[in-house]
Amino acid sequence: MKINSEICIVGKKVVLVPYCSYHVEKYHQWMKSEELLNLTGSEPLTLEEEYRMQRSWYEDEDKCTFIVLDREVLEKTKNEQDAMVGDTNIFLTDPSDSSIAEAEIMIAEQKNRGHGLGKEALLLMLKYAVSALHIKTLEAKIKYGNTPSLHLFTNLKFCEVKRSDVFEEITLAVKVTEEWLEFFSQCVPQYVVQRYQRRE
């Protein structure tokens, strides 16, 4: 989406920045991993296809993507490629209803897992989805066996609504009600939207 192309979102541990062509080569290296391809339900792409995918994510009005940066590394190195640890996305899933979206989070770097970066990145993305994109129903599709992601979403009050043995995934969802927003607002540690200036 172009709506997020000129902003970044700053949290305590992570910074979310728009997915730019500058990030593609490292992202492409991540997606050579069989584990990540399986967990994200993705197909391997050539580098040229990855660049085309990045452009489509930038242009398409039904996708919103941020690259997740480790804030500590970014502040130390001033280099976004060094600080890249994953990505987070929102997809509008119903062409007739722009208030329904599917959320995704991926921490690609093994060494960065288990430190709360994925959780904070997801919280920032969900906050953006609700406040800027006016999403009213949030969904997530989690692969069987991806216990950390299942725990992450269920702890945010997402509930199972569907299970597919064919795709080996569970669909979770939550309605953005006043009650849920009150709970959710206590989960987000810090959320600052700034104008994006790429650091490399």
Side-chain angles (χ1 to χ4, degrees):
M1 282 184 180
K2 291 183 178 179
I3 189 174
N4 75 314
S5 64
E6 295 184 355
I7 65 157
C8 65
I9 304 173
V10 181
K12 283 188 173 181
K13 296 180 178 182
V14 301
V15 179
L16 306 187
V17 299
Y19 183 29
C20 301
S21 59
Y22 166 75
H23 304 116
V24 170
E25 287 197 22
K26 186 167 183 178
Y27 190 91
H28 180 63
Q29 290 301 314
W30 288 341
M31 300 312 291
K32 291 179 179 179
S33 160
E34 289 293 333
E35 178 202 21
L36 291 178
L37 290 172
N38 178 58
L39 289 174
T40 59
S42 302
E43 295 293 328
L45 301 177
T46 66
L47 182 58
E48 184 180 343
E49 289 170 332
E50 202 76 72
Y51 274 106
R52 284 202 297 267
M53 184 70 75
Q54 180 273 324
R55 286 193 294 273
S56 77
W57 286 354
Y58 178 86
E59 296 287 344
D60 292 354
E61 291 304 317
D62 61 349
K63 302 179 185 73
C64 183
T65 301
F66 286 100
I67 292 294
V68 181
L69 307 180
D70 182 318
R71 182 175 175 180
E72 183 179 357
V73 174
L74 180 65
E75 291 177 349
K76 187 181 299 182
T77 68
K78 310 300 183 188
N79 185 295
E80 289 187 9
Q81 286 186 337
D82 291 343
M84 287 173 66
V85 296
D87 75 330
T88 183
N89 310 285
I90 284 286
F91 301 95
L92 304 183
T93 56
D94 185 342
S96 65
D97 188 349
S98 61
S99 72
I100 303 172
E102 177 186 335
E104 292 183 343
I105 176 67
M106 176 184 77
I107 298 300
E109 297 285 347
Q110 287 273 2
K111 68 181 183 294
N112 295 110
R113 295 178 190 170
H115 301 292
L117 303 182
K119 179 180 179 180
E120 184 178 292
L122 178 64
L123 290 171
L124 297 180
M125 174 54 105
L126 296 182
K127 170 93 172 169
Y128 182 75
V130 170
S131 60
L133 306 180
H134 312 295
I135 302 302
K136 300 299 182 187
T137 300
L138 291 160
E139 298 176 342
K141 291 181 180 177
I142 312 296
K143 284 288 186 180
Y144 289 178
N146 190 348
T147 305
S149 286
L150 282 171
H151 284 165
L152 176 57
F153 282 94
T154 54
N155 285 342
L156 293 174
K157 300 188 182 296
F158 281 67
C159 297
E160 182 177 333
V161 294
K162 190 167 60 175
R163 187 175 286 250
S164 170
D165 290 332
V166 174
F167 295 105
E168 297 186 338
E169 66 185 17
I170 300 168
T171 300
L172 308 173
V174 67
K175 296 285 186 183
V176 181
T177 62
E178 289 297 324
E179 181 183 6
W180 184 80
L181 282 172
E182 185 176 345
F183 153 78
F184 180 70
S185 66
Q186 297 170 9
C187 299
V188 183
Q190 176 179 311
Y191 176 88
V192 178
V193 177
Q194 298 178 349
R195 183 172 177 81
Y196 175 55
Q197 291 183 310
R198 194 179 80 192
R199 286 184 266 190
E200 51 181 283

